[in-house]
Amino acid sequence: MTANASASAESFKTVDQLIDCVLQRHFGIDPRELPVVGAFEIDQSTQFPGTEQKYRNYYLLLRVNAVFGGCCVEAEQLEQVAARELVGQSLAALLEDARLPVRVAALDAYLGVVLPHRDDHRARELELPYGTPFTRAVARDKAIVSLLAIEPDQAVGLIGVVNPIVQAIEARGARCLPCDFNMQRTAGGLVVQRDMRPVLEQADFIIATGMTLSNGSFDEILAAARRRNIPLVVYAQTGSAIVPRFLGQGVSAVSAEPFPYSQFSADPTAIYLYRAANP
């Protein structure tokens, strides 16, 4: 991390404050000098063999230099975005766009250019193996679980449900409090809450997805973790370059997975695991 980046890391508590730091060139490179050379939208569905669960995911991706900025969104959010309108614009312009997913994807792209994971001494690179979507998902979820220092009898808030993580929580003798907009029950039958606020107040430990950036709930989760002084672990495809900037500032650990995400490639790809020095 550069001196400027290190200094600015202590000056923000929210995503909007981080965006302001970028626009004020605290990270060295002017976002006005970084044009978007490619933009695309993905509507993706997944159903693993032998299961009944169908997953629907929608993504906005921005290509800047050698980096993709990524944001997973709700279906109605993607309908508000026309990727062709974003091409050719500078990241500075998109960081001030009225649409939150556009700002998140632009911020992710900028930080991916300026502070790549491979140059961050805090990051441990892990290669996901060649294989099927299921094989690669299992390897990814195992890596996420490796970050979880969960104690027996803890109440663990899971904001964005991934069934293997539910199983990992329960295997450690903890109680899972699942929360998700798009699921009613976990594979094991737990009722999934839509409102995260009671979960944030009851949990002794919080696990959240990077999609909380695109739906605007990340700042509230981060503030709750700070206020209650409880661990927060984030598994981030969305905002994989954003969430590590909050490491030690409320975030205890991150599994950061830049594009191409595991489900979009059979070839080996990297994820980056971060832990705060003083979680």
Side-chain angles (χ1 to χ4, degrees):
M1 207 182 264
T2 66
N4 283 342
S6 179
S8 65
E10 298 179 358
S11 63
F12 54 83
K13 299 294 184 184
T14 68
V15 174
D16 281 347
Q17 289 176 3
L18 176 55
I19 289 174
D20 287 342
C21 286
V22 171
L23 291 171
Q24 294 169 23
R25 291 178 286 179
H26 290 185
F27 290 86
I29 298 178
D30 189 341
R32 292 176 297 182
E33 298 174 357
L34 293 174
V36 174
V37 298
F40 53 105
E41 307 152 19
I42 297 176
D43 179 340
Q44 180 238 356
S45 299
T46 299
Q47 181 174 350
F48 293 126
T51 69
E52 296 182 359
Q53 179 69 52
K54 293 181 185 291
Y55 297 94
R56 290 291 303 274
N57 294 302
Y58 308 89
Y59 300 88
L60 172 67
L61 291 147
L62 304 177
R63 178 70 182 266
V64 179
N65 292 349
V67 168
F68 291 89
C71 184
C72 184
V73 300
E74 300 292 347
E76 63 272 13
Q77 290 179 294
L78 192 60
E79 291 168 359
Q80 301 170 10
V81 178
R84 63 183 178 275
E85 297 173 0
L86 307 180
V87 176
Q89 296 198 52
S90 73
L91 286 183
L94 298 188
L95 286 169
E96 296 183 301
D97 194 278
R99 297 162 293 189
L100 179 58
V102 175
R103 298 198 302 276
V104 169
L107 181 60
D108 191 43
Y110 176 86
L111 293 171
V113 170
V114 175
L115 298 170
H117 297 294
R118 63 182 177 277
D119 294 340
D120 195 322
H121 70 276
R122 304 170 303 169
R124 176 170 68 88
E125 182 176 346
L126 177 69
E127 186 177 87
L128 299 181
Y130 170 84
T132 67
F134 182 76
T135 298
R136 288 165 56 75
V138 168
R140 179 199 64 204
D141 293 343
K142 183 178 179 181
I144 295 169
V145 169
S146 74
L147 297 171
L148 308 181
I150 297 170
E151 300 292 335
D153 299 322
Q154 281 188 322
V156 181
L158 181 59
I159 314 298
V161 173
V162 175
N163 282 305
I165 297 180
V166 176
Q167 295 162 6
I169 292 168
E170 294 177 334
R172 299 182 185 203
R175 181 165 55 97
C176 183
L177 308 176
C179 180
D180 198 297
F181 286 138
N182 299 308
M183 189 179 297
Q184 286 73 49
R185 289 185 179 271
T186 67
L190 293 177
V191 175
V192 178
Q193 304 297 324
R194 288 182 59 85
D195 185 355
M196 72 175 185
R197 290 176 179 83
V199 172
L200 294 178
E201 295 306 314
Q202 297 168 27
D204 304 306
F205 193 113
I206 302 170
I207 306 167
T209 174
M211 196 173 172
T212 55
L213 288 161
S214 61
N215 66 26
S217 60
F218 179 79
D219 287 345
E220 186 174 352
I221 295 168
L222 189 68
R226 288 172 174 151
R227 173 175 53 81
R228 299 190 57 226
N229 194 28
I230 57 177
L232 169 60
V233 174
V234 182
Y235 55 103
Q237 290 184 338
T238 294
S240 69
I242 299 173
V243 181
R245 308 283 71 81
F246 294 92
L247 197 69
Q249 306 286 322
V251 173
S252 304
V254 186
S255 172
E257 184 180 355
F259 190 84
Y261 307 136
S262 58
Q263 62 267 40
F264 295 133
S265 175
D267 292 326
T269 54
I271 62 174
Y272 298 87
L273 305 178
Y274 292 79
R275 293 181 187 272
N278 296 296

